[in-house]
Amino acid sequence: MTQHVSPPREGAGKAPSTGELPVWRTAVARADVRALSLLGVLAVLVVIGGVTRPDEFLDTRNLQLVLTQASVIGVVTVGMTFVITSGGIDLSVGAIVALSSVWATTVATQEYGFAGILFTAVLVGVGCGLVNGLLVAYGGMVPFIATLAMLASARGLALQITDGRTQIVSVDGVLGLGERDAYVLGVPPLVLVFAVVTVIGWLILNRTTFGRRTVAVGGNAEAARLAGIDVRRQRLYLYLLSGLCCGIAAFLLIILSGSGQNTNGNLYELDAIAAAIIGGTLLSGGRGTITGSVLGVLIFTTITNIFALNNLQSDVQQIAKGAIIVAAVLVQRRTASTT
């Protein structure tokens, strides 16, 4: 009687191929390389600053200043990272920061003290985010157009509220947070707030269903809808989150400058988008990294500080930023074409 022997399964009894890695390991490796590259760029900038202006750049107060300035735009960038990851864009973040800061520093608002200023700044930011979200998610407007309209409107309203004047803050509780006496172990309170926002943003994007839905919507909105995700509601939440970050950043800016001005947040939208892009967030959506965005913010802030210490003109600084953005986008396209 002949015994039937089943043919071996494909790949059975063979050692796993070492030439191919699981998709998730490849993604992690690529992210690690990107983060290390950004850290390398930041290290080079620190060396350049230390060589050109050793006494000034490496001074503790200057380093604290760099981190403090990075905190304001950094909080905005965290919100922007979520929006871009979902395939959207928010051009109004700078204007929302301006509107939130001036609305929170009016005489009427300051009468309610610290809580009144903080509440107003956050409320105005969330309110603007709500309008953006409704226009994009339920109004069917292209994010570029909707947020561009908010940019113009918020700037105009901020100018109308201030009448072109600087509104000085007189609330001691707010001004005190900008003093060195308020530092915790040498760390400014603004930096601590930025760190908390960064950690929360990282956890939400990488460890929650909300983060996975954000990536899914950015990768393929129709597939996400067919998978049961309410795409419109998700987009609304994302613009609310962006507005919330703008409100927090406006409050930090009030602490930093001790005033509210209609010119606050100028070009924040460009800096936030640029920081997110060089950090590894895909402009087309579907991939985002909070860690990379934060490193991008630190790189741009350090460049600005080095240029200021060396008395270099701002136009050269903008050219350098533009070159970095172009290089980052080219690297993204090359990476995407090889995957």
Side-chain angles (χ1 to χ4, degrees):
M1 182 175 180
T2 305
Q3 184 179 5
H4 176 72
V5 180
S6 300
R9 295 190 307 270
E10 183 178 357
K14 297 180 180 178
S17 173
T18 57
E20 296 182 2
L21 292 174
V23 176
W24 68 271
R25 290 187 62 183
T26 303
V28 170
R30 187 177 293 118
D32 289 341
V33 170
R34 186 182 301 111
L36 289 174
S37 300
L38 292 173
L39 284 173
V41 172
L42 186 59
V44 170
L45 290 174
V46 171
V47 171
I48 293 174
V51 170
T52 56
R53 292 287 180 177
D55 296 334
E56 300 175 22
F57 181 80
L58 297 178
D59 182 72
T60 302
R61 295 199 174 193
N62 183 65
L63 296 178
Q64 290 173 336
L65 175 63
V66 171
L67 291 176
T68 301
Q69 292 175 337
S71 299
V72 180
I73 184 62
V75 172
V76 175
T77 304
V78 170
M80 181 69 79
T81 300
F82 277 89
V83 173
I84 295 179
T85 301
S86 72
I89 198 73
D90 191 348
L91 301 179
S92 64
V93 290
I96 293 176
V97 169
L99 180 58
S100 298
S101 69
V102 300
W103 207 323
T105 54
T106 60
V107 176
T109 303
Q110 292 193 49
E111 291 179 355
Y112 293 93
F114 182 97
I117 294 177
L118 174 60
F119 177 77
T120 302
V122 172
L123 183 63
V124 172
V126 172
C128 292
L130 175 62
V131 173
N132 280 337
L134 290 174
L135 291 176
V136 172
Y138 295 96
M141 292 186 67
V142 177
F144 183 92
I145 300 300
T147 57
L148 184 63
M150 175 58 72
L151 182 156
S153 301
R155 282 289 179 194
L157 185 55
L159 178 61
Q160 186 177 51
I161 292 175
T162 61
D163 197 21
R165 300 186 180 92
T166 299
Q167 298 179 163
I168 305 299
V169 176
S170 59
V171 179
D172 294 335
V174 174
L175 297 175
L177 290 177
E179 301 295 333
R180 297 188 63 84
D181 294 339
Y183 288 12
V184 180
L185 300 177
V187 180
L190 277 69
V191 178
L192 295 177
V193 173
F194 176 36
V196 171
V197 171
T198 298
V199 171
I200 293 175
W202 187 90
L203 290 174
I204 292 175
L205 185 59
N206 296 281
R207 294 291 185 268
T208 67
T209 303
F210 183 87
R212 290 191 291 271
R213 288 175 177 172
T214 300
V215 174
V217 170
N220 190 322
E222 181 60 20
R225 185 187 67 82
L226 294 175
I229 298 176
D230 191 332
V231 175
R232 293 192 298 179
R233 185 172 61 184
Q234 184 71 16
R235 284 174 174 163
L236 173 62
Y237 289 162
L238 289 167
Y239 281 99
L240 283 173
L241 178 60
S242 179
L244 173 63
C245 289
C246 290
I248 296 173
F251 183 71
L252 297 182
L253 191 56
I254 291 171
I255 296 173
L256 184 62
S257 63
S259 63
Q261 306 176 52
N262 65 285
T263 56
N264 281 343
N266 187 35
L267 297 181
Y268 272 19
E269 56 277 358
L270 299 183
D271 288 342
I273 293 171
I277 291 174
I278 71 169
T281 299
L282 271 182
L283 191 58
S284 57
R287 187 181 74 201
T289 162
I290 297 296
T291 303
S293 295
V294 170
L295 290 174
V297 169
L298 293 176
I299 287 173
F300 278 133
T301 308
T302 304
I303 290 175
T304 301
N305 184 259
I306 292 174
F307 273 67
L309 292 178
N310 287 277
N311 298 318
L312 297 176
Q313 297 180 354
S314 59
D315 54 351
V316 180
Q317 173 185 327
Q318 297 302 324
I319 292 173
K321 285 185 177 181
I324 293 175
I325 295 171
V326 170
V329 172
L330 290 177
V331 170
Q332 280 193 0
R333 293 186 62 182
R334 183 176 180 82
T335 303
S337 63
T338 57
T339 55

